[in-house]
Amino acid sequence: MSSSERYERSLPVLLEELAAPRTPAYFDDILGQVDRTRQRPGWTFPERWLPMSAVSDRLATAPRVPMRAVLAAALLLVALAVGLALLAGGRKPAVPAPFGPANNGLIAFVDESGAIRTGMATATSFAVTVPGPGNDSPVFSPDGTRLAYLHPNAVGQLDIVVAAPDGRDARTINTDAIIAANFISWTPDGGSVAIESRPGTLFLYDAARPGPGTIINSSFSGGSVGFGDRMASVFRPPLGEEIAFLGVGPEGDGLYVIKRDGSGIRPLLTPKTGGLPYFRLQSPEWSPDGTRIAVTVQPAADPEYVMSIYVVEADGSGLRRLSPGCSGTDTSENFAAWSPDSTRIAHMRWCQRGDDPGVQPITVVDVATGVARGIGDVQLNGYNGFAWSPDGTSIIEVPGPPVDDRLQVLIVDATTGAVRRTGQSTEIPPTWQRTAPVAP
């Protein structure tokens, strides 16, 4: 007999033995434990207090949810969370690039009482955002989020103050003494404020943390740089890693470019470079795209006060006169201001005839063609300042003192020449805030 046959005959007997009722050896212990345990009071049962029929009527067996539906719901929740995060992030104000065209924001200027006023170009009145007296040289940061200005302190020196555009959260960023400032600007990244607080020396101050200034150039000449916020153009766009300055360098007194750390000085226009003899240079200004510099040149052979604007490439090549100037008369030009798109230059011009200074309106020149045209009114006493609007459609002007000594803030259409008088007056060039385009 095989082993499998023996197993088949024994199987019924084994099953019978396993099925027979048995009492476990620990049965008596279980009964003793139950006898010693106090039973649960009847009042603790919900059926004693609640109508269970009403409750049970509302209960139903939960339907079986397919796994596909569960996954779809999970994905929907994730998408909703991401959307809310993006919405929260979208509430942060957008800022424009440091250079190039941008939307027009607030105009800021110092009024006759020394207070800083701000308002849109279309405003009929401008609000006081920083009370006076004594405020000076307001200038918006390249991204339009802050306003830097000079303010006299209790010991008769100057503080560099950085505030929000509406004047709130103002804080002093310099801890050293500043007696005077011929120049103030922002670096293109908005991280620092630069001033010339000693003749020929450019200092840099951290815009976020108070501290002493750091010297970044000791041969700087900023007294004749330009007007208002255009002075920031000494930093090469878009990163500001190089500075254009007028001063004494390896090739004499001329126009140089140097890195912010003081290294890598290179000449652009000097007595040995450029092939253009000159008596004096003034007002260098980088184009917003960082490819060229405009500079005012008084040639050595020309009469006093006869000056012309020249343009030179960033590497020092391609030096050329911006436009032919006035026909048949001596031409004086100064204070070149690049349009935000780097295609035009606005400047002051005089077409002199004998004793007649030949005052012209602000002249706008197409950089590619040299074609020039005057826009706006003729101001007999010239201008205390002017600058392009961030969008490049207008020029804000502060004419020189009229008969009543009130310096009106004018806005001139750069295409039609139409003049709008804001009704405001200032002696200090305004600054125009750059803002980001509004999303459609």
Side-chain angles (χ1 to χ4, degrees):
M1 182 181 292
S2 66
S3 59
S4 60
E5 289 175 344
R6 287 197 303 270
Y7 177 77
E8 289 177 358
R9 289 185 177 183
S10 303
L11 183 59
V13 178
L14 292 172
L15 292 174
E16 251 180 61
E17 291 177 356
L18 291 172
R22 297 181 181 180
T23 302
Y26 53 81
F27 184 71
D28 292 337
D29 295 334
I30 294 175
L31 290 178
Q33 181 68 28
V34 172
D35 183 60
R36 292 191 299 272
T37 302
R38 182 180 179 184
Q39 294 189 11
R40 179 180 173 186
W43 60 266
T44 63
F45 290 90
E47 292 90 338
R48 298 288 301 272
W49 307 96
L50 300 175
M52 296 306 295
S53 59
V55 175
S56 60
D57 287 345
R58 297 173 186 170
L59 298 178
T61 304
R64 184 176 180 182
V65 180
M67 183 58 66
R68 183 180 299 175
V70 174
L71 292 175
L75 291 173
L76 181 61
L77 290 175
V78 171
L80 180 60
V82 172
L84 290 175
L86 291 174
L87 181 61
R91 293 194 183 111
K92 296 179 181 179
V95 296
F99 295 94
N103 277 7
N104 298 337
L106 296 170
I107 293 171
F109 62 91
V110 177
D111 67 13
E112 296 141 319
S113 71
I116 296 178
R117 291 180 177 266
T118 60
M120 299 298 290
T122 56
T124 56
S125 62
F126 286 65
V128 173
T129 55
V130 181
N135 296 303
D136 198 356
S137 304
V139 56
F140 281 112
S141 61
D143 64 4
T145 61
R146 287 161 295 170
L147 181 70
Y149 57 93
L150 300 173
H151 183 79
N153 57 31
V155 295
Q157 298 172 352
L158 293 175
D159 288 336
I160 307 172
V161 182
V162 172
D166 60 4
R168 292 183 298 178
D169 302 324
R171 62 187 184 280
T172 300
I173 63 172
N174 64 297
T175 57
D176 51 359
I178 298 177
I179 305 301
N182 295 325
F183 168 94
I184 179 171
S185 74
W186 288 85
T187 54
D189 61 5
S192 303
V193 176
I195 71 166
E196 183 195 10
S197 58
R198 291 205 304 261
T201 305
L202 189 64
F203 290 83
L204 210 60
Y205 291 85
D206 192 312
R209 294 188 300 273
T214 302
I215 295 177
I216 61 171
N217 193 311
S218 58
S219 301
F220 182 77
S221 176
S224 59
V225 171
F227 293 126
D229 56 351
R230 292 195 294 103
M231 293 191 292
S233 59
V234 297
F235 294 96
R236 183 180 183 180
L239 302 178
E241 294 177 343
E242 289 186 309
I243 299 170
F245 72 96
L246 300 176
V248 179
E251 297 185 3
D253 196 349
L255 172 62
Y256 292 88
V257 170
I258 192 171
K259 293 183 180 178
R260 276 174 59 173
D261 62 6
S263 66
I265 188 170
R266 55 188 179 89
L268 291 188
L269 181 56
T270 72
K272 298 181 180 180
T273 305
L276 177 64
Y278 58 85
F279 174 73
R280 181 173 56 176
L281 303 178
Q282 289 185 346
S283 311
E285 176 160 336
W286 285 103
S287 60
D289 60 11
T291 63
R292 291 163 290 182
I293 294 179
V295 61
T296 300
V297 178
Q298 182 179 348
D302 283 352
E304 189 176 5
Y305 303 122
V306 172
M307 296 174 285
S308 301
I309 293 175
Y310 281 72
V311 175
V312 62
E313 300 295 319
D315 61 1
S317 65
L319 179 68
R320 64 181 176 88
R321 189 173 175 181
L322 176 63
S323 68
C326 307
S327 176
T329 64
D330 292 330
T331 303
S332 287
E333 301 169 336
N334 210 340
F335 300 118
W338 290 88
S339 62
D341 62 2
S342 302
T343 64
R344 294 163 292 169
I345 287 178
H347 61 80
M348 292 196 293
R349 173 180 281 187
W350 296 262
C351 297
Q352 298 172 315
R353 293 180 175 86
D355 294 334
D356 180 6
V359 180
Q360 304 296 305
I362 291 295
T363 301
V364 175
V365 183
D366 183 284
V367 176
T369 65
V371 174
R373 61 187 181 86
I375 62 169
D377 300 332
V378 174
Q379 303 296 334
L380 296 180
N381 293 308
Y383 298 86
N384 275 28
F386 63 94
W388 288 87
S389 63
D391 66 0
T393 63
S394 305
I395 294 177
I396 190 168
E397 302 177 355
V398 179
V403 177
D404 61 0
D405 289 331
R406 289 179 59 83
L407 311 183
Q408 298 294 323
V409 178
L410 311 178
I411 297 176
V412 182
D413 189 294
T415 301
T416 67
V419 178
R420 190 175 75 81
R421 288 164 171 77
T422 65
Q424 306 299 311
S425 59
T426 182
E427 294 183 359
I428 299 169
T431 177
W432 208 325
Q433 180 191 32
R434 297 163 53 81
T435 61
V438 179

